[in-house]
Amino acid sequence: MFQPLYRRTLALAASPHAGWWLFAVAFAEASFFPIPVDLMLIPMVLAARERAFVLAAICTAGSVMGAMLGWVIGAVLLQHVAMPIVHFYHAEHSLAALQEKFRQYGVAIILLKGLTPIPFKIVTIAAGAAHFAILPFLAASLVTRGARFFLVATLLWFYGAPIKDFIERRLTLVMTGFLFLVIAGILAVTLL
């Protein structure tokens, strides 16, 4: 079932527009899109390990720019745009809890939540809704998202061939595990 998607992503990695697609998905994932960018990043790095760190930088830049949009959505468009996104994740309570945590803990929340499977868009929207200062928010987003994507790129750069073989042999298992992590992140947001 996942083989065609995996093969398509590997083909996309070789296209001249691969970086733009990766940037667009990372941007959207940080502000409103429900699919994690890792689903593109991992096969793209496996297809072109020599570009691992360039791809991680593209993901980081897209995610931070998307975080800025998420912040604006939370700060300016809370009722009209943010609440439908938050409702999609059944995270109304989590949004309120995150807003309060931003007031209490500030940047530490971004640094912690940006590394977890919790959908980052909830963090970005909550930061905007709490009117958390934009510059520290963007700096923390850069650190945490960069750490996440560069960690993935580094691991795949060092261990790419065995990981690629494992993924290709056990793609259904890998995708099911990844889907489980996404669902666990969404549940964590709803139960926050």
Side-chain angles (χ1 to χ4, degrees), residues 125-148:
I125 291 169
H131 296 286
F132 189 77
I134 188 78
L135 291 179
F137 167 73
L138 290 175
S141 295
L142 179 65
V143 168
T144 193
R145 300 307 273 179
R148 178 179 168 187

Side-chain angles (χ1 to χ4, degrees), residues 145-161:
R145 300 307 273 179
R148 178 179 168 187
F149 298 134
F150 277 91
L151 175 63
V152 168
T154 300
L155 290 173
L156 292 172
W157 187 74
F158 277 114
Y159 305 108

Side-chain angles (χ1 to χ4, degrees), residues 4 25 35 53 106 137 159:
V25 171
I35 307 297
F53 302 111
F137 167 73
Y159 305 108

